[in-house]
Amino acid sequence: VALVGISFGGSYSIVAAGRPAVRDKVSAVLGFGSYADLAALLQAWLADPSPPDPPSYAAGRRAVLLGNLDRLAPPGDRPQLRAALKALLQGKRPPRVGGLSPRGTLVWEAARAEAPVPPVRARRLIEPLAADIAVVRPGDAAPRAPVFLLHGAADPIIPPDNARALEARLAKAGVKTTVCVSSLFAHVEPTFQGRPSLFRAWPLLRFTARFLKAAGLDP
């Protein structure tokens, strides 16, 4: 079986391929737009001083906070925070929030701010997620199958240096890794219209052919 994952799914596919129950049953893994270190990526999303699109960055931050609220905030703070976060995500004025614990206040300040979160606060904010993040850290349990990493050269969500960092980590574990950073993609969306030139497309075509061969899918 060959595994293919897109964005976060690329990293999850590498994690899955390294698990003992399937390690010997995977022929190849392809990760498209994968992260190398989720903790570092989340901190960058929270604290980046110049995000590519501040409104969508704030919306993404709020969605992450809402989705992980049970881990990030004490039980007594959650009803207020959940209602306020849902209102913000819907573009509505949030209900009044008050009487929060210090931890709940940290979450609320990050949620309502349009500006980046100071780095120290960003680290404190995601501390409760450390155990969950560790489970989906690619390369800790290395797959035996070759890994192929495709990344957009203009990726504004998961920067392309993640591909090189992940390649280095997998190489230390003895995993054969092939990387293609392509100008044809932003995150996982194409940056071209019509048919790209052969010069731009050739590295991607060669990369795809190598993956298909490793996966046992070539003609």
Side-chain angles (χ1 to χ4, degrees), residues 6 14 57 111 121 128 143 148 160 169 197 210 216:
I6 297 173
I14 297 168
Y57 239 59
R121 288 188 185 179
F148 294 78
R169 182 178 302 153
S197 68
R210 289 177 177 175

Side-chain angles (χ1 to χ4, degrees), residues 52-187:
D53 186 353
S56 66
Y57 239 59
R61 179 194 307 168
R62 289 161 184 165
V64 170
L65 293 175
L66 179 60
N68 292 279
L69 195 58
D70 288 349
R71 296 175 177 85
L72 296 175
D77 293 339
R78 291 172 196 165
Q80 285 193 83
L81 290 172
R82 186 169 283 110
L85 280 163
K86 286 181 178 179
L88 288 171
L89 283 167
Q90 293 169 359
K92 300 177 180 177
R93 184 175 180 177
R96 182 178 176 82
V97 175
L100 297 174
S101 68
R103 180 77 205 171
T105 300
L106 179 67
V107 173
W108 176 233
E109 288 178 350
R112 67 181 180 177
E114 297 287 343
V117 178
V120 173
R121 288 188 185 179
R123 286 193 293 271
R124 284 178 55 210
L125 186 62
I126 65 171
E127 280 175 359
L129 302 179
D132 297 311
I133 288 171
V135 174
V136 288
R137 177 181 165 92
D140 283 354
R144 290 178 179 154
V147 173
F148 294 78
L149 300 173
L150 174 61
H151 219 104
D155 192 332
I157 306 299
I158 302 178
D161 58 4
N162 278 261
R164 294 302 179 187
L166 188 48
E167 177 190 27
R169 182 178 302 153
L170 291 169
K172 286 183 179 179
V175 181
K176 183 179 179 181
T177 308
T178 302
V179 177
C180 176
V181 177
S182 175
S183 63
L184 297 176
F185 299 98
H187 179 42

